Amino acid sequence: MSNTLVIRIAGTAGEGVLSAGNMLNLAMKRAGRHTMLFQSYGAEVRGDGPSMAQVRVSDSPVLSQGDDVDILIALNQDAVSLNLSEIRKGGLVIYDGQPLDTFGSQKTFTPSLPVGVRGISVPLASISYQKLNSLVSKNLVALGAFSAVSGLPFEIIADIVKARFGEKSLSALKMGHDHVTEMASITGFKLEMRNALQDMLILSGNQAVSMGAIVAGVKVFAGYPITPATDIMEFLAAELPKVGGRVIQTEDEISAVCTVLGTSFAGSKAMTATSGPGLSLMVEGIGLASMAEVPAVIVDVQRAGPSTGMPTKTEQSDLNIAIFGSHGDSPRIVLAPSTVEECFYLTIEAFNIAEACQIPVLILSDQFLGQRRETVSPFDMSGLKLAQRLKPDTEELKGYKRYRLTDNGLSPLAVPGMDGGEHAATGLEHREDGSPSYDPDNHRAMTAKRWKKLELAKLDSVKPVRFGAADALVGVIGWGSTEGAAREAVSKANEAGLKVAALYPKLLNPLHTDIIEAFVRPLKKVVVVENNYSGQFTAVLRSHGIFCEFFTLCEGRPFKVDEILKRIEEAINSRLPI
């Protein structure tokens, strides 16, 4: 019996790879397993190119997508060769030994497998095409074959397939199951089935962000479709009207952020979501939110590369534009969730900070975190508090000064229709009453006012998270979606007797520099793990006088646990003597 498995379904766009992955992920949850589904797919509209869905299942919460693959389900010949290097010794390949050519004629295929890797030939295409007259069913044949190999109860996967594709689809599933059942028993991959995790949810990071926004009280979402952030708009388009809100698809990202600012200025909570190219277009609007002191929440689900880059691949390379992307000194808050669960809670916190501090708040997610689907516990709503923006009272509305200079930088914000609260709110520098001003002393005072508010965002709820050895000699610092792999790597290092700890800030701007400095001070070496080429967060830390080395990955995929573990071992072996 195995308590942990990594299953990869691989094929070409159009073969049902992603739908099979989602169904398998749900089936494993219903079989009582914690799961995480990671997907990688092509960006071309024509819908070709390799696709992959990887499901990691365990009897405890899953922290990362997994390193080596235990079972590869290859829906075509190319899928075997493209993924063979990822299979562990002792792993298994379920492949199509009787594929069809472009004319529908049957061929034979026997892959050359590495020593120690077993193979099962299942005629996926032949069963689907010749017996069911439908090539689109071979993903279901493969799922049936897997259920026989793994011991996943057939009725569980059958119920899910039936609900999605109807009664007729069960024939393909059963034929795949029966074909493998009739073969010699395949040992070593049987999962120990448990009671179903009835109280657990399966959510993606994008869904959790959307749910957090609804709980926070968002009334308007304005956005323009862009991979991999579009899921947020699609979710809210279905759910937000049910609670009195609305979704507006604008003509571009500039219009989206300006719609958010207008809605917020009018007194309602608003947000947008985008990815790197769209965030570039929003830069001036974010600066306007800073200058006019208008609350706004902007979610950036990062993708790989500059320009159009690799739209469906993951990366953490928008940190520079999130923190520094503006002309002038434009303060903003930047938050970085690490898990699907944190996507929910930090989105609520983003709205709280935006409203309380009258400032734009950016949430940095990425394709891996935004689109992966995992089991999470039901959200605890008991301790949630929603911040309200500071509004002027009757006395303050007499001779109202919207931008009155205060000790903490906050001044009461009137909304349209409030008697006496009329004021100008533009991108121009202004006096306390909102009228334009180009006076040097006034500009200095107003800039200081806007920047003072950053300190208000350093709440307990967004303090860095520390894990690992209390007496560590080597430290790991990271942010966002690399935390799961880092947790596993640090845990393995500690189990091996290595004294290692990690710190993951959730607030990237402004930084809790005091906490980070206290973490770094006793360490002999610190390595920053981040999914970009240039080490952007490392540069931010160094700008604060916190010296560290960077360990980066720039391949459009998440870190593997062993990659981080090896870098930890290198840091320990090369550290200066005590």
Side-chain angles (χ1 to χ4, degrees):
M1 289 283 184
S2 174
N3 289 330
T4 301
L5 277 181
V6 176
I7 309 109
R8 178 177 293 186
I9 305 172
T12 301
E15 290 186 315
V17 172
L18 303 187
S19 61
N22 276 282
M23 289 186 290
L24 180 57
N25 196 48
L26 178 58
M28 286 298 184
K29 181 262 182 184
R30 290 186 180 177
R33 314 298 295 186
H34 293 273
T35 70
M36 178 185 291
L37 167 65
F38 166 57
Q39 303 174 108
S40 179
Y41 51 95
E44 289 73 20
V45 175
R46 64 180 180 269
D48 61 2
S51 293
M52 178 270 285
Q54 182 163 305
V55 181
R56 187 182 184 192
V57 299
S58 177
D59 57 0
S60 58
V62 178
L63 300 178
S64 74
Q65 80 282 2
D67 285 8
D68 297 332
V69 175
D70 294 297
I71 300 177
L72 171 65
I73 304 172
L75 299 185
N76 61 46
Q77 192 169 329
D78 288 342
V80 177
S81 57
L82 287 173
N83 295 278
L84 209 53
S85 63
E86 303 284 335
I87 305 172
R88 69 168 174 83
K89 187 176 182 179
L92 176 71
V93 180
I94 300 174
Y95 65 93
D96 191 344
Q98 298 176 3
L100 304 180
D101 61 23
T102 54
F103 302 101
S105 299
Q106 186 172 295
K107 304 183 296 181
T108 59
F109 169 62
T110 304
S112 177
L113 301 178
V115 175
V117 175
R118 289 174 283 177
I120 298 179
S121 173
V122 181
L124 304 177
S126 295
I127 290 175
S128 180
Y129 183 69
Q130 295 175 353
K131 295 186 178 181
L132 301 172
N133 197 32
S134 170
L135 268 178
V136 298
S137 298
K138 66 179 182 178
N139 62 335
L140 302 183
V141 179
L143 284 180
F146 171 79
S147 71
V149 168
S150 66
L152 173 66
F154 181 79
E155 59 273 14
I156 291 179
I157 189 67
D159 286 346
I160 294 170
V161 170
K162 180 180 177 181
R164 181 155 185 172
F165 296 117
E167 186 84 36
K168 293 182 179 179
S169 62
L170 296 183
S171 297
L173 192 73
K174 191 170 190 309
M175 287 183 183
H177 182 273
D178 291 348
H179 181 88
V180 173
T181 302
E182 292 169 2
M183 299 172 66
S185 177
I186 304 296
T187 60
F189 301 98
K190 297 292 184 181
L191 284 164
E192 179 184 335
M193 293 302 144
R194 301 175 181 274
N195 295 327
L197 303 174
Q198 298 291 351
D199 61 334
M200 300 292 284
L201 308 170
I202 290 184
L203 292 175
S204 69
N206 284 343
Q207 290 174 324
V209 164
S210 304
M211 295 170 70
I214 292 173
V215 171
V218 67
K219 291 303 179 186
V220 171
F221 175 92
Y224 184 78
I226 184 170
T227 304
T230 307
D231 304 343
I232 296 174
M233 182 164 65
E234 292 175 343
F235 185 96
L236 289 173
E239 302 299 330
L240 193 54
K242 298 177 183 179
V243 291
R246 64 179 61 186
V247 170
I248 303 170
Q249 181 175 322
T250 58
E251 63 268 33
D252 55 35
E253 288 87 352
I254 299 172
S255 297
V257 72
C258 289
T259 300
V260 168
L261 299 187
T263 300
S264 182
F265 176 78
S268 294
K269 295 179 180 179
M271 73 176 291
T272 186
T274 188
S275 193
L279 186 64
S280 299
L281 294 176
M282 293 182 182
V283 162
E284 188 174 0
I286 295 171
L288 175 58
S290 295
M291 175 64 85
E293 301 185 39
V294 176
V297 174
I298 302 104
V299 181
D300 175 21
V301 188
Q302 301 165 94
R303 60 202 231 179
S307 188
T308 312
M310 299 195 293
T312 61
K313 308 303 178 184
T314 197
E315 204 162 270
Q316 293 180 305
S317 51
D318 291 352
L319 182 63
N320 283 342
I321 190 173
I323 296 177
F324 307 114
S326 178
H327 54 277
D329 291 315
S330 173
R332 77 282 306 278
I333 307 298
V334 180
L335 297 173
S338 294
T339 65
V340 169
E341 184 178 54
E342 282 186 354
C343 284
F344 175 79
Y345 291 111
L346 280 187
T347 299
I348 296 172
E349 203 58 67
F351 277 95
N352 285 344
I353 293 172
E355 293 293 315
C357 299
Q358 303 172 20
I359 199 169
V361 179
L362 281 70
I363 301 173
L364 285 184
S365 179
D366 56 46
Q367 185 270 334
F368 173 46
L369 177 56
Q371 295 193 324
R372 80 188 195 203
R373 301 174 66 87
E374 64 187 67
T375 47
V376 297
S377 299
F379 300 122
D380 182 7
M381 313 289 274
S382 60
L384 293 179
K385 295 181 180 179
L386 303 183
Q388 303 299 321
R389 63 180 62 176
L390 180 65
K391 294 183 179 179
D393 57 27
T394 304
E395 287 300 314
E396 289 169 324
L397 287 170
K398 296 176 181 178
Y400 177 56
K401 293 182 177 180
R402 164 65 187 99
Y403 301 103
R404 177 166 58 86
L405 296 172
T406 62
D407 291 339
N408 62 5
L410 290 179
S411 47
L413 172 56
V415 298
M418 187 174 287
D419 191 22
E422 300 85 358
H423 64 279
T426 73
L428 292 171
E429 185 59 280
H430 41 258
R431 301 182 183 88
E432 287 183 295
D433 62 359
S435 60
S437 170
Y438 307 102
D439 176 74
D441 291 337
N442 179 77
H443 177 51
R444 186 184 304 109
M446 283 295 170
T447 302
K449 173 189 188 300
R450 292 187 287 269
W451 279 83
K452 283 179 182 177
K453 296 185 293 182
L454 289 182
E455 291 301 311
L456 300 177
K458 293 184 179 180
L459 307 172
D460 289 343
S461 58
V462 291
K463 282 187 175 179
V465 173
R466 189 189 193 281
F467 52 91
D471 57 346
L473 298 177
V474 168
V476 173
I477 295 179
W479 60 280
S481 65
T482 65
E483 184 178 326
R487 280 186 177 273
E488 290 193 54
V490 169
S491 178
K492 284 186 175 182
N494 291 161
E495 289 172 3
L498 306 179
K499 295 182 177 181
V500 183
L503 189 74
Y504 266 72
K506 308 302 173 182
L507 180 65
L508 304 186
N509 190 60
L511 281 173
H512 283 97
T513 51
D514 55 339
I515 297 176
I516 299 174
E517 287 171 350
F519 171 75
V520 169
R521 195 173 298 121
L523 302 175
K524 300 302 180 182
K525 183 167 288 190
V526 178
V527 176
V528 179
V529 174
E530 51 185 324
N531 206 327
N532 56 56
Y533 181 79
S534 59
Q536 294 181 15
F537 192 49
T538 307
V540 171
L541 292 172
R542 288 177 178 177
S543 73
H544 287 275
I546 302 169
F547 184 78
C548 41
E549 300 179 2
F550 64 81
F551 176 48
T552 62
L553 177 70
C554 184
E555 298 180 7
R557 64 169 176 85
F559 274 96
K560 293 182 178 180
V561 174
D562 280 351
E563 290 172 330
I564 300 176
L565 179 59
K566 288 178 181 177
R567 185 65 184 88
I568 289 172
E569 291 170 345
E570 289 173 4
I572 289 175
N573 292 334
S574 64
R575 68 178 176 81
L576 296 175
I578 301 175

